[in-house]
Amino acid sequence: MNYNKNYFDKIDSNNKAYFLGFIHADGYISKSFKEKYNKYYYVFRMRVHEDDGYILEKLQEEMKSKIKAKYITLKTNKGNYRQCVFKIANKHLVERLIDIYGGDLKDKRLSIPKEVKYNEEYLRHYIRGYFDGDGSISKEEVSISGRYEFLKDLKSTINLSENITKMKSIHRIRLRSKDSISWFLNYIYGNLSEKDIFIHRKRKLADKYLL
């Protein structure tokens, strides 16, 4: 086997919890039946901007994968766009992720997985992973995007007081007070060890709020 297909069987490390959150936000998981071949096909894939490619290289390392994260160029109307892609086609891995999230499609990922929700330490690493995928930091606010049901679960789990807002089809929790922003960013980025994982550009934006 060219990778550890059992990597997510047991969530027992900070990094596994982080990647569970990151995949929740940005991961592609597919179990599809192809009538032509009379069989199911299984795909797990992650794509990030090339500047964040080290994150997928770390996942590759964590999974002991000989399948490499690849850097590719996409041609768009606005010019070329460089991405890093990590892809594994494995039934066990995909079915385990489907079991964790409650489905393969993003619109079925409606709650924090039980594997991290009731573990105080792993929970914050999971939320950091999710935020690195679907969160943003600006001068005025910190924003977390996602499905309404998921954000509702996140709010109640870590006791956020802010309302869930909707703009077009996107739901967000928007933290605007200095105290709320400081608490949240310290919760996910504070007191990390050298082995813990994060998106460097987001951690840099958070630095001024860290105690």
Side-chain angles (χ1 to χ4, degrees):
M1 184 65 70
N2 292 325
Y3 46 81
N4 178 11
K5 67 178 182 180
N6 303 311
Y7 179 73
F8 289 108
D9 283 6
K10 186 177 182 181
I11 307 304
D12 55 4
S13 72
N14 295 350
N15 289 348
K16 287 183 181 182
Y18 174 89
F19 280 119
L20 209 61
F22 198 66
I23 293 166
H24 191 149
D26 276 348
Y28 175 82
I29 305 163
S30 175
K31 175 184 177 180
S32 60
F33 185 77
K34 305 294 185 183
E35 290 187 8
K36 181 178 179 180
Y37 303 104
N38 194 35
K39 63 184 292 187
Y40 280 97
Y41 283 80
Y42 302 84
V43 177
F44 161 65
R45 185 177 66 231
M46 295 292 297
R47 295 176 183 266
V48 298
H49 188 276
E50 66 171 342
D51 292 345
D52 300 330
Y54 56 87
I55 289 290
L56 299 190
E57 291 175 2
K58 183 62 179 178
L59 177 58
Q60 170 196 316
E61 177 187 325
E62 283 274 312
M63 295 183 70
K64 297 179 171 59
S65 175
K66 294 180 182 178
I67 298 173
K68 305 294 185 183
K70 297 181 179 180
Y71 290 84
I72 63 173
T73 300
L74 299 179
K75 294 182 179 180
T76 71
N77 295 332
K78 297 181 180 180
N80 293 342
Y81 180 76
R82 291 280 291 170
Q83 282 189 331
C84 180
V85 181
F86 182 60
K87 175 182 174 181
I88 289 178
N90 180 269
K91 176 182 178 180
H92 178 83
L93 175 64
V94 168
E95 289 193 333
R96 174 56 180 151
L97 290 173
I98 288 173
D99 179 62
I100 288 173
Y101 296 123
D104 53 349
L105 302 177
K106 276 192 173 184
D107 61 6
K108 294 180 180 178
R109 304 173 200 174
L110 302 180
S111 61
I112 299 172
K114 65 181 184 301
E115 286 80 0
V116 294
K117 186 172 184 177
Y118 304 107
N119 183 304
E120 241 178 73
E121 180 61 17
Y122 292 162
L123 177 63
R124 80 183 191 103
H125 295 287
Y126 161 85
I127 293 173
R128 185 175 68 259
Y130 184 90
F131 183 81
D132 277 353
D134 265 346
S136 64
I137 303 172
S138 69
K139 291 181 179 180
E140 297 179 351
E141 68 178 34
V142 165
S143 176
I144 312 160
S145 302
R147 300 287 298 181
Y148 175 83
E149 295 85 352
F150 171 76
L151 295 179
K152 184 178 179 181
D153 189 31
L154 177 64
K155 262 176 56 76
S156 65
T157 300
I158 61 173
N159 298 316
L160 294 176
S161 60
E162 286 75 10
N163 293 325
I164 299 170
T165 62
K166 183 179 181 182
M167 183 177 293
K168 295 182 179 179
S169 61
I170 301 173
H171 290 90
R172 291 187 177 95
I173 297 174
R174 304 169 74 181
L175 309 179
R176 290 181 166 176
S177 76
K178 185 175 180 180
D179 287 346
S180 293
I181 291 173
S182 179
W183 179 86
F184 180 75
L185 293 180
N186 274 279
Y187 175 65
I188 62 173
Y189 290 121
N191 298 315
L192 298 181
S193 75
E194 292 182 358
K195 294 181 179 180
D196 290 330
I197 306 169
F198 52 87
I199 294 287
H200 297 163
R201 58 184 172 81
K202 288 193 177 179
R203 170 64 187 271
K204 187 175 181 179
L205 289 171
D207 276 349
K208 68 178 181 179
Y209 294 101
L210 301 184
L211 301 176

